[in-house]
Amino acid sequence: MSPVILAANDPTLADFGKDPWWLVLGKIVFAFVFGLLATLLGVWFERRVVGYMQVRPGPNQVGPFGLLQTLADGLKMAFKEDILPRAADKVVYFFAPTISVICAVTALSVVPFGPKVSIFGHWTPLQVTDVPVAVLVLLACSSMGIYGIVLGGWASGSTYPLLGGLRSTAQMISYEVAMGLSIVAVFMTAGTMSTSGIVAAQGNATQLTIAGQAVPAPGWYAILLLPSFIIFFIATVGETNRAPFDLPEAESELVAGFMTEYSSLKFALFMLSEYVSMVTMSAVTTALFLGGWRAPWPITLWAGANSGWWPMLWFFGKVILLVFVFVWLRGTLPRLRYDQFMRFGWKVLLPINLVWILVLSGLRSIEGWQTKDRLFATGIGAGVLLLATLFWPSKKKEPKPTLQEQVNSRPHGSFPLPPMDLQVPPSPRTMRVVAEREPANVPAGSDSREV
């Protein structure tokens, strides 16, 4: 297939809003069914993969390879007794789980699943819709999802769910900032906030000039914008409450977090929203950084790899790969402490993101310069950054006091300390009890007699 025909398959903003009503309805149903089926299969996929990592079979009883186990669990949850706490706000308590699910599914409406294809004679993009600010729509859906968690914890009328909701609020705010800044580098490079435009921009190989020779480089932003890709994926793990960032649930600390007072179908909806968010963020990461529906190399050597219905296969393959990474992290890393989690978001991810955006904007501003001037400006910037890194003031660690100094500095009236030589002396009370149990050695007198 010629490059002209391949370019014609890339949807643009002008291609949306022209479909008949039945085609729009079909796209909406497809996106919803994709999110639902991907969630059901995602639960089974996670249990099987974690079971394989822990050298155990995982679900294998209900259906072939245990595929129907998730469906059976969902039906079991739906028919369990629904308990409503007496102090709960009934309206908010009922709608909170649905907010999380709806926001996660809505984000799929601006994710491109494939190029323009012919459906019953109508050429249409494999995407529900697209707008010039589609990336902001994704951020808005991700931000609104937190309201389901916060309202669920508050409306339960209990202490532990409220604490879980408050912790999730701080978590979402922290990592939402890092996620938004990492996307800034994407639409700075692509020149558009449209998701279909970002996927189209990654289809063109970047030309690098090395020793006067033009060398094609990969067009995926996961390679060109590697720091943004790493930060974005870490932020998505924090946004979806997945291990090692599953602090809002924190079963070992807050019972079940914001879901403590939920049961039956409402609990299943909260659980479902987590997996829908995981699949949705994997699809968003694919569109923004992994070329979307475009085939990876060496499949691109085939002329028809990016035309027709084949791109949907490459898109689903990338989504499954990212879901596997989510599961891999859960089966490998332990949960972080709350202070470590917040410090990592504000003191590590945020500064690195700001410095990277500054460097990227500087490189883009000198693109039109001559080669010698670009090298000179790049060298000066790298030197300044290196000097700032070397001479950045750091807090000196105070010498750790010795054990005896720690003992001497204890305030008066503190609890008694065990002996430093680890030899515990016998208790005076024990000695008294032993002495009371032993008979007294009284010598027999002359007036003693046997009875």
Side-chain angles (χ1 to χ4, degrees):
M1 183 173 292
S2 63
V4 177
I5 298 178
L6 285 176
N9 287 332
D10 286 321
T12 61
L13 290 174
D15 296 322
F16 295 92
K18 300 178 180 179
D19 298 329
W21 67 269
W22 56 268
L23 190 54
V24 175
L25 183 61
K27 289 182 179 181
I28 295 174
V29 172
F30 172 78
F32 178 78
V33 171
F34 166 74
L36 184 61
L37 290 181
T39 301
L40 294 177
L41 294 177
V43 177
W44 170 85
F45 180 75
E46 179 175 19
R47 296 175 67 179
R48 291 286 291 190
V49 171
V50 173
Y52 178 79
M53 291 179 177
Q54 298 175 351
V55 197
R56 55 184 179 83
N60 60 354
Q61 297 297 319
V62 184
F65 304 103
L67 282 170
L68 300 180
Q69 181 66 54
T70 305
L71 182 61
D73 293 341
L75 293 175
K76 179 183 69 175
M77 286 186 180
F79 288 101
K80 278 183 174 291
E81 182 182 3
D82 191 7
I83 301 174
L84 178 65
R86 181 177 300 176
D89 188 321
K90 297 180 176 57
V91 177
V92 181
Y93 180 85
F94 177 79
F95 283 105
T98 61
I99 294 175
S100 299
V101 178
I102 291 173
C103 291
V105 175
T106 304
L108 290 173
S109 61
V110 292
V111 174
F113 292 90
K116 292 174 63 177
V117 296
S118 177
I119 301 179
F120 298 110
H122 292 272
W123 280 91
T124 179
L126 288 175
Q127 184 175 352
V128 177
T129 187
D130 196 8
V131 290
V133 289
V135 175
L136 298 184
V137 174
L138 295 174
L139 286 176
C141 293
S142 176
S143 301
M144 289 294 293
I146 178 61
Y147 282 96
I149 297 175
V150 175
L151 294 177
W154 173 80
S156 298
S158 180
T159 303
Y160 284 126
L162 179 60
L163 292 177
L166 293 177
R167 297 211 314 181
S168 65
T169 305
Q171 172 177 333
M172 296 293 181
I173 292 175
S174 303
Y175 282 77
E176 193 78 30
V177 176
M179 178 186 294
L181 288 177
S182 59
I183 298 178
V184 170
V186 172
F187 55 74
M188 278 178 56
T189 308
T192 179
M193 292 187 186
S194 166
T195 50
S196 59
I198 292 173
V199 172
Q202 296 179 72
N204 301 322
T206 305
Q207 298 295 329
L208 299 179
T209 304
I210 301 177
Q213 300 292 330
V215 180
W220 289 7
Y221 292 153
I223 301 175
L224 297 178
L225 307 175
L226 182 61
S228 295
F229 171 65
I230 295 175
I231 294 173
F232 181 83
F233 190 77
I234 294 175
T236 57
V237 177
E239 282 285 303
T240 53
N241 300 332
R242 296 284 302 179
F245 301 147
D246 56 340
L247 292 175
E249 297 179 10
E251 293 89 351
S252 61
E253 303 170 19
L254 299 177
V255 188
F258 60 91
M259 297 186 296
T260 302
E261 301 294 343
Y262 278 89
S263 59
S264 186
L265 191 58
K266 299 183 183 65
F267 179 85
L269 286 177
F270 266 129
M271 181 181 175
L272 181 70
S273 66
E274 177 181 328
Y275 285 90
V276 172
S277 300
M278 181 175 65
V279 174
T280 301
M281 296 312 298
S282 298
V284 171
T285 307
T286 300
L288 297 182
F289 291 96
L290 298 180
W293 44 263
R294 296 187 175 275
W297 189 88
I299 303 178
T300 51
L301 299 177
W302 172 38
N306 291 325
S307 61
W309 295 88
W310 287 105
M312 291 189 67
L313 180 62
W314 322 136
F315 177 82
F316 292 149
K318 296 174 186 178
V319 171
I320 293 173
L321 179 62
L322 290 177
V323 171
F324 170 77
V325 176
F326 274 96
V327 177
W328 189 8
L329 292 176
R330 177 179 180 178
T332 305
L333 301 177
R335 178 184 295 129
L336 294 179
R337 283 203 324 260
Y338 186 72
D339 59 328
Q340 294 174 337
F341 178 77
M342 300 300 289
R343 186 187 306 115
F344 183 68
W346 288 104
K347 294 187 177 182
V348 178
L349 295 185
L350 191 60
I352 292 177
N353 222 335
L354 292 174
V355 172
W356 166 243
I357 293 175
L358 180 63
V359 171
L360 182 63
S361 59
L363 292 176
R364 290 189 60 84
S365 64
I366 63 175
E367 283 182 350
W369 294 10
Q370 296 181 1
T371 305
K372 184 183 296 184
D373 296 336
R374 288 204 307 267
L375 292 176
F376 183 72
T378 305
I380 292 178
V384 171
L385 184 61
L386 180 61
L387 291 176
T389 304
L390 293 176
F391 295 100
W392 188 267
S394 59
K395 184 179 180 181
K396 294 183 179 180
K397 293 183 178 180
E398 298 180 358
K400 187 177 181 180
T402 62
L403 186 61
Q404 190 60 41
E405 291 176 348
Q406 296 180 25
V407 173
N408 296 335
S409 63
R410 285 164 49 86
H412 178 70
S414 300
F415 286 101
L417 286 176
M420 296 297 102
D421 56 0
L422 299 181
Q423 293 182 2
V424 182
S427 173
R429 184 174 181 276
T430 303
M431 297 176 60
R432 184 173 64 253
V433 171
V434 172
E436 290 174 353
R437 290 178 179 176
E438 293 180 353
N441 296 323
V442 179
S446 58
D447 57 345
S448 62
R449 60 185 180 86
E450 294 182 358
V451 178

